[in-house]
Amino acid sequence: MSRNLKTEAVDFLFDAVLALENREECYRFFEDVCTVNELQALSQRFEVAHMLRNSRTYMDIAETTGASTATISRVNRSLNYGHDGYDMVLKRLADKKQLP
């Protein structure tokens, strides 16, 4: 993990996220913390990751999500060379049968 990312402020934010107990609390917290555009961008990236892991094409992903090919490429790079965060969460959701 990048040393620039690991700070007390980021730890504090992550502790706050870990304190959330349900989806309604997530909505309340993230609507206060993020702009609508920021939250949509985060959710779009996660949807792109899910679709890439399901072998969907860039064209199909772009049409379905509205993501640019640059965003799709960035997410794909994270899936292939990142810290396995997307895969970890996607697996947990699949195990709980919470994936669409």
Side-chain angles (χ1 to χ4, degrees), residues 48-92:
V48 166
H50 181 235
M51 294 176 80
L52 284 167
R53 281 300 183 235
N54 284 306
S55 302
R56 304 276 290 273
T57 66
Y58 273 39
M59 181 69 85
D60 185 32
I61 294 168
E63 288 175 4
T64 302
T65 66
S68 68
T69 55
T71 295
I72 299 167
S73 179
R74 190 175 313 116
V75 171
N76 194 45
R77 190 169 40 254
S78 291
L79 286 169
N80 293 319
Y81 305 108
H83 299 279
D84 297 322
Y86 282 120
D87 286 327
M88 174 185 60
V89 173
L90 288 168
K91 181 182 181 326
R92 288 181 186 170

Side-chain angles (χ1 to χ4, degrees), residues 1 5-6 8-20:
M1 181 170 296
L5 182 62
K6 248 187 178 272
E8 285 185 34
V10 173
D11 285 348
F12 188 48
L13 173 64
F14 289 168
D15 289 341
V17 171
L18 291 168
L20 300 170

